[in-house]
Amino acid sequence: IEKTDIQRANKVRSTKGLLVHVFGKIAAAFIYLIFNS
């Protein structure tokens, strides 16, 4: 049970990290567009 819990926690953490990365790229793109318009 402990092993699967650790694997699940790692999956959740990596998914959150991926979302943060994607949102960061989107935010950066918006900032870039705003400053260049």
Side-chain angles (χ1 to χ4, degrees):
I1 294 165
E2 277 180 32
K3 251 185 206 172
T4 52
D5 279 348
I6 289 163
Q7 284 176 345
R8 198 179 297 134
N10 284 338
K11 197 187 254 182
V12 169
R13 201 177 297 125
S14 61
T15 304
K16 275 186 188 171
L18 190 70
L19 284 172
V20 167
H21 184 72
V22 169
F23 277 116
K25 277 199 165 185
I26 293 167
F30 270 113
I31 291 163
Y32 181 81
L33 286 170
I34 289 162
F35 278 103
N36 283 290
S37 60

